[in-house]
Amino acid sequence: MLTISNQWQEQTSFRSDEASSASGTASKRTTQWIRIQESQPRVSVEMIAGIPERLLHDYAEAAVRHARTHEIEPGEWFSEIVGFEGLWADGSSREMAEADLLSAIPGWVELRLSAGGDVPVIDGYDLNLPLAG
């Protein structure tokens, strides 16, 4: 378990299902971030909109895996993610468009949250969770 701020904590758990137990294979690793409240941070990290930079990066990578990227004309690519209103990127290749999209997500999240909006839950990453009591 890693606590990297006074608000977020990474929890990793290992789960064995019947199939993996019977075959002797490794258990499945699950990592999730939960919001907590502590009096003192344990590790100092860069925060963006009150969210650890590492968590925001993981969220952005998960979001880009859901991107719709297509060539709009030869040498011009467009990338967007359904549910991320107003967020898009373009580039001279699929990789460039998706890299630009990845780099734009933290700023988009910061803007949405600072304006009191919510951000989409992606692959279990919910940046809208209330503080635990």
Side-chain angles (χ1 to χ4, degrees):
M1 178 173 15
L2 171 66
T3 301
I4 61 172
S5 78
N6 63 347
Q7 294 183 343
W8 293 95
Q9 183 176 48
E10 181 182 33
Q11 281 190 333
T12 303
S13 59
F14 296 89
R15 180 183 57 145
S16 297
D17 57 21
E18 291 179 23
S20 64
S21 296
S23 65
T25 60
S27 43
K28 182 178 180 180
R29 178 180 178 197
T30 304
T31 301
Q32 67 179 10
W33 288 87
I34 59 170
R35 212 161 179 183
I36 61 168
Q37 189 169 12
E38 286 187 17
S39 58
Q40 294 292 323
R42 294 187 185 167
V43 178
S44 177
V45 297
E46 182 71 28
M47 303 289 281
I48 299 171
I51 300 167
E53 185 177 32
R54 177 177 163 193
L55 171 58
L56 193 51
H57 178 75
D58 291 349
Y59 175 85
E61 284 186 336
V64 168
R65 286 192 296 269
H66 296 274
R68 292 184 182 172
T69 305
H70 57 276
E71 193 170 26
I72 53 178
E73 60 182 61
E76 236 180 286
W77 291 78
F78 180 82
S79 190
E80 64 183 340
I81 306 166
V82 173
F84 285 68
E85 186 179 320
L87 177 68
W88 59 271
D90 61 357
S92 58
S93 68
R94 173 183 294 276
E95 294 77 16
M96 294 280 291
E98 290 178 356
D100 284 351
L101 189 64
L102 178 67
S103 68
I105 291 171
W108 183 86
V109 167
E110 184 175 20
L111 181 63
R112 291 280 296 191
L113 294 177
S114 68
D118 288 334
V119 295
V121 175
I122 297 290
D123 295 348
Y125 290 101
D126 186 353
L127 305 182
N128 305 300
L129 292 174
L131 279 175

